[in-house]
């Protein structure tokens, strides 16, 4: 069939593909999936670039690779006994078709195998109506993905991201108990908790203490085992422009509606912890602590003369929330996202970065 084509040319045409399928790590063993099941998960999202080299790998058990595929990161994670997992997102309109689901899963499995990844983190943040065809199909998708991955990649992990509360946040109505049963665990995104502000339109914490913990007790009360819940914390905050900043630090914000709510954190801008740490000392208020929300914030004035209020999380607010993990036996902890810290050589930045990683550790008492 190949007559007329020189053999060498055929080899050269095939070679790159064979090469691409080879193990990219220095040791072939580093391409094997991780099988060890840790008692405690430290689940880290990475969004790209090379800062992962400076992460605290003594803690990390899973890195969800949300940036471009990086074989060096996969090899390194494996050398540290940590899983590297794919990102899974899909249009919910399509998944009601079982054939579509099967081909989506087959594609993801193929990708995981060719990239030597250890599973997939499914991150669907779309609107779902209660008991709609999509509601049923989403549970089926998670169940089928888990079955296929567990069968085809030994030790693989399938996880699913949920909002801070099961009470249809952002009009996401899921079969939470069904999805929790169908996968290894849920990553609870305990942040963006002002995505729907129903009361006064004022700036508030990204993840207030009480509100965050209420979310977990609601998940547990609906019958989900704490061992199926990983607490996701923010390593970023929100910078709000105040329409008015009162004497008692109430920052009125613009009305930006979101999924039925009159205002939302969309009036603000997300800022990574590293940027916040560069700004806080030069702000007009300095670092402040809000007792009701158990969260830090500060106010500053921009060059145009507008007041801003910035709400964020630091080791203090994170440790308070993390104490719940031990007290209630949750599966682990994690953050969105690990790239938000300052990994430069600067002495102060290094210390602040180290303290953020340390805040994830269970406290000895
Ligand atoms: C949720 O999923 C579980 C497991 O698939 C199923 O038994 C249950 O009926 C579902 N609940 C609803 C309300 O559809
Ligand atoms: C706006 O801020 C000023 C200065 O702090 C305060 O006196 C005033 O009551 C605030 N106005 C509103 C509508 O909150
Ligand atoms: C900011 O202030 C804190 C507390 O006073 C101090 O520890 C820190 O070194 C300061 N950071 C910078 C960048 O000056
Ligand atoms: C937080 O919850 C505790 C315990 O339920 C309660 O006593 C306290 O008033 C709550 N704080 C706020 C600001 O809601």
């Amino acid at each position: 069939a190949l007559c007329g084509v020189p053999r060498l040319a055929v080899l050269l045409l095939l070679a790159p593909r064979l090469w691409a399928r080879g193990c990219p790590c220095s040791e072939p063993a580093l391409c094997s999936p991780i099988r060890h099941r840790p008692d405690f998960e430290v689940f880290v999202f990475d969004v790209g670039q090379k800062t992962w080299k400076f992460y605290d790998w003594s803690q990390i058990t899973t890195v969800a690779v949300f940036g471009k595929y990086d074989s060096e990161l996969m090899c390194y994670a494996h050398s540290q006994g940590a899983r590297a997992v794919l990102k899974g997102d899909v249009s919910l309109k399509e998944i009601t078709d079982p054939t579509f689901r099967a081909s989506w899963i087959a594609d993801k499995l193929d990708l995981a195998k060719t990239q030597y990844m250890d599973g997939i983190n499914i991150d669907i943040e779309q609107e779902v109506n209660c008991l709609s065809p999509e509601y049923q199909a989403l549970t089926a998708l998670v169940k089928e993905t888990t079955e296929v991955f567990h069968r085809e990649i030994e030790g693989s992990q399938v996880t699913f991201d949920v909002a801070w509360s099961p009470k249809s946040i952002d009009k996401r109505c899921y079969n939470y108990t069904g999805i929790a049963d169908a996968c290894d665990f849920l990553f609870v995104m305990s942040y963006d908790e002002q995505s729907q502000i129903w009361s006064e339109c004022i700036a508030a914490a990204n993840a207030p203490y009480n509100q965050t913990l209420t979310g977990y007790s609601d998940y547990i009360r609906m019958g989900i085992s704490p061992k199926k819940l990983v607490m996701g914390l923010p390593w970023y905050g929100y910078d709000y422009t105040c329409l008015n900043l009162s004497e008692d630090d109430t920052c009125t914000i613009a009305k930006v509606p979101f999924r039925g709510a009159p205002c939302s954190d969309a009036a603000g801008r997300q800022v990574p912890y590293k940027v916040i740490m560069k700004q806080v000392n030069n702000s007009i208020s300095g670092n402040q602590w809000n007792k009701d929300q158990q969260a830090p914030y500060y106010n500053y004035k921009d060059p145009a003369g507008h007041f801003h209020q910035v709400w964020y999380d630091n080791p203090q607010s994170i440790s308070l929330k993390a104490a719940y993990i031990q007290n209630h036996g949750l599966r682990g902890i994690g953050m969105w996202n690990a790239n938000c810290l300052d990994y430069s050589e600067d002495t102060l930045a290094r210390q602040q970065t180290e303290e953020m990683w340390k805040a994830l550790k269970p406290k000895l008492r």
Side-chain angles (χ1 to χ4, degrees):
L2 290 168
C3 81
V5 181
R7 261 161 214 228
L8 184 61
V10 172
L11 270 179
L12 286 175
L13 279 171
L14 289 175
R17 180 149 179 89
L18 291 173
W19 181 255
R21 285 198 171 249
C23 172
C25 309
S26 58
E27 311 247 351
L30 292 179
C31 280
S32 301
I34 301 293
R35 292 184 194 168
H36 166 70
R37 299 230 167 255
D39 296 330
F40 190 76
E41 278 287 342
V42 176
F43 195 99
V44 167
F45 284 93
D46 179 273
V47 298
Q49 296 157 347
K50 293 287 185 183
T51 52
W52 56 262
K53 291 184 177 173
F54 307 99
Y55 295 170
D56 180 359
W57 288 93
S58 70
Q59 295 194 63
I60 299 172
T61 56
T62 302
V63 56
V65 182
F66 272 40
K68 265 202 330 234
Y69 173 62
D70 180 349
S71 62
E72 207 191 340
L73 170 54
M74 177 278 293
C75 299
Y76 192 77
H78 285 181
S79 78
Q80 300 295 309
R83 288 184 172 77
V85 299
L86 299 172
K87 172 186 177 165
D89 191 9
V90 62
S91 159
L92 287 184
K93 275 197 281 310
E94 301 189 271
I95 63 164
T96 51
D97 173 5
T99 315
F100 178 89
R101 287 203 300 273
S103 79
W104 184 83
I105 295 167
D107 279 352
K108 293 298 170 193
L109 179 72
D110 187 52
L111 192 60
K113 283 185 168 175
T114 53
Q115 298 184 342
Y116 304 98
M117 301 289 273
D118 305 271
I120 188 165
N121 172 258
I122 304 175
D123 185 39
I124 311 273
E125 306 209 3
Q126 301 155 51
E127 208 172 306
V128 180
N129 291 321
C130 297
L131 303 176
S132 61
E134 289 82 10
Y135 172 98
Q136 310 290 358
L138 185 55
T139 317
L141 177 80
V142 176
K143 194 159 189 278
E144 292 157 10
T145 305
T146 307
E147 279 165 6
V148 170
F149 269 76
H150 283 183
R151 187 179 69 226
E152 300 287 329
I153 302 175
E154 200 187 338
S156 62
Q157 179 200 75
V158 178
T159 56
F160 188 89
D161 301 336
V162 295
W164 65 271
S165 154
K167 295 189 171 165
S168 283
I169 299 307
D170 304 343
K171 295 196 176 163
R172 285 182 259 182
C173 183
Y174 302 159
N175 181 346
Y176 293 99
T177 52
I179 291 174
D181 280 345
C183 68
D184 291 303
F185 56 83
L186 304 177
F187 180 91
V188 183
M189 300 181 284
S190 296
Y191 38 77
D192 300 343
E193 295 182 24
Q194 312 303 336
S195 62
Q196 294 177 296
I197 304 174
W198 300 97
S199 49
E200 253 186 307
C201 295
I202 56 172
N206 190 5
Y209 180 79
N210 271 14
Q211 195 175 332
T212 296
L213 301 191
T214 304
Y216 290 91
S217 60
D218 288 344
Y219 278 114
I220 293 167
R221 227 171 347 177
M222 72 195 316
I224 297 177
S225 160
K227 286 284 167 249
K228 286 269 180 167
L229 300 171
V230 164
M231 180 182 283
L233 295 157
W235 276 5
Y236 66 95
Y238 276 88
D239 177 331
Y240 292 97
T241 305
C242 308
L243 299 180
N244 190 45
L245 181 63
S246 73
E247 298 288 338
D248 67 353
D249 277 354
T250 303
C251 165
T252 314
I253 60 174
K255 287 190 170 64
V256 181
F258 186 66
R259 296 195 186 163
C263 44
S264 72
D265 55 20
R269 188 171 56 86
Q270 295 185 356
V271 253
Y273 187 70
K274 63 181 172 197
V275 173
I276 289 168
M277 285 298 100
K278 290 250 180 289
Q279 192 178 45
V280 58
N281 284 11
N282 303 322
S283 62
I284 47 180
S285 65
N287 186 33
Q288 298 290 318
W289 181 259
N290 180 296
K291 279 206 193 98
D292 289 341
Q293 303 178 65
Q294 305 265 50
Y297 71 95
Y298 61 88
N299 304 320
Y300 77 93
K301 199 172 181 177
D302 69 25
H306 298 119
F307 286 108
H308 291 241
Q309 192 165 74
V310 181
W311 287 87
Y312 61 109
D313 273 274
N314 62 8
Q316 189 184 356
S317 66
I318 287 173
S319 301
L320 284 170
K321 285 179 276 209
Y324 182 93
I325 296 171
Q326 280 172 284
N327 296 340
H328 293 80
L330 301 194
R331 176 72 159 260
I333 196 165
M335 89 298 291
W336 179 268
N337 61 62
N339 304 75
C340 289
L341 305 186
D342 187 338
Y343 296 100
S344 71
E345 304 257 298
D346 179 73
T347 316
L348 185 62
R350 266 194 156 155
Q351 189 189 329
Q352 288 165 344
T353 293
E354 197 183 315
E355 280 167 12
M356 285 293 270
W357 280 100
K358 250 204 273 184
L360 305 175
K361 287 188 185 167
K363 299 282 175 295
L364 299 170
R365 61 185 79 232

